[in-house]
Amino acid sequence: MAKFTVNSSRFDPYLGYRFKVKWDNQYVAGLSKCSALKRTTEVTPWYEGGDASGPHQIPGKTKYDPITLEAGVTHDTVFEEWANKVNNFQGDAAMSLAAFRKDISIEVYNHQGQKVLAYNVFRCWVSQ
């Protein structure tokens, strides 16, 4: 677990937060709010040859809604550096789309501070 550089006796800087963001086996942020992980699969009609009873329904394209991370804190600048790869305040010339996607893990903790579950999010990026 990461330690504060100012107060090195404090072991877990994200102890009071219910969600923790982790990548490369290191915690980078603690969060109080996280949106639901939602996906929607379209229904596609499919007509079978010779069957006049009507269309069958099969699953189509799947869309994943954005994950919103709110009310967080971090003592590391790597999260901001990652966000600046796509949304750079210096303009389009300073933007770098090389390696802007990252595999992260969002861990959910209960009130006792025990990890309940973790979601692995693959090839994600900061959009806002």
mmCIF file of all heavy atoms in Angstrom, residues 6 27 57:
data_model
loop_
_atom_site.group_PDB
_atom_site.id
_atom_site.type_symbol
_atom_site.label_atom_id
_atom_site.label_comp_id
_atom_site.label_asym_id
_atom_site.label_seq_id
_atom_site.Cartn_x
_atom_site.Cartn_y
_atom_site.Cartn_z
ATOM 1 N N VAL A 6 4.849 12.938 2.989
ATOM 2 C CA VAL A 6 4.960 13.916 4.073
ATOM 3 C C VAL A 6 4.843 13.225 5.424
ATOM 4 O O VAL A 6 5.635 13.448 6.323
ATOM 5 C CB VAL A 6 3.869 15.001 3.923
ATOM 6 C CG1 VAL A 6 3.922 15.967 5.072
ATOM 7 C CG2 VAL A 6 4.040 15.723 2.603
ATOM 8 N N TYR A 27 -1.969 1.416 -5.793
ATOM 9 C CA TYR A 27 -3.157 2.238 -5.615
ATOM 10 C C TYR A 27 -2.836 3.670 -6.005
ATOM 11 O O TYR A 27 -1.833 4.220 -5.562
ATOM 12 C CB TYR A 27 -3.644 2.178 -4.162
ATOM 13 C CG TYR A 27 -4.183 0.833 -3.793
ATOM 14 C CD1 TYR A 27 -3.382 -0.122 -3.176
ATOM 15 C CD2 TYR A 27 -5.493 0.494 -4.089
ATOM 16 C CE1 TYR A 27 -3.883 -1.370 -2.853
ATOM 17 C CE2 TYR A 27 -6.003 -0.744 -3.761
ATOM 18 C CZ TYR A 27 -5.187 -1.674 -3.154
ATOM 19 O OH TYR A 27 -5.689 -2.905 -2.839
ATOM 20 N N GLN A 57 -35.648 -12.915 -32.199
ATOM 21 C CA GLN A 57 -34.860 -11.872 -31.545
ATOM 22 C C GLN A 57 -33.524 -12.471 -31.115
ATOM 23 O O GLN A 57 -33.490 -13.479 -30.415
ATOM 24 C CB GLN A 57 -35.609 -11.346 -30.323
ATOM 25 C CG GLN A 57 -37.032 -10.945 -30.614
ATOM 26 C CD GLN A 57 -37.205 -9.458 -30.674
ATOM 27 O OE1 GLN A 57 -36.529 -8.736 -29.990
ATOM 28 N NE2 GLN A 57 -38.123 -9.022 -31.495
#
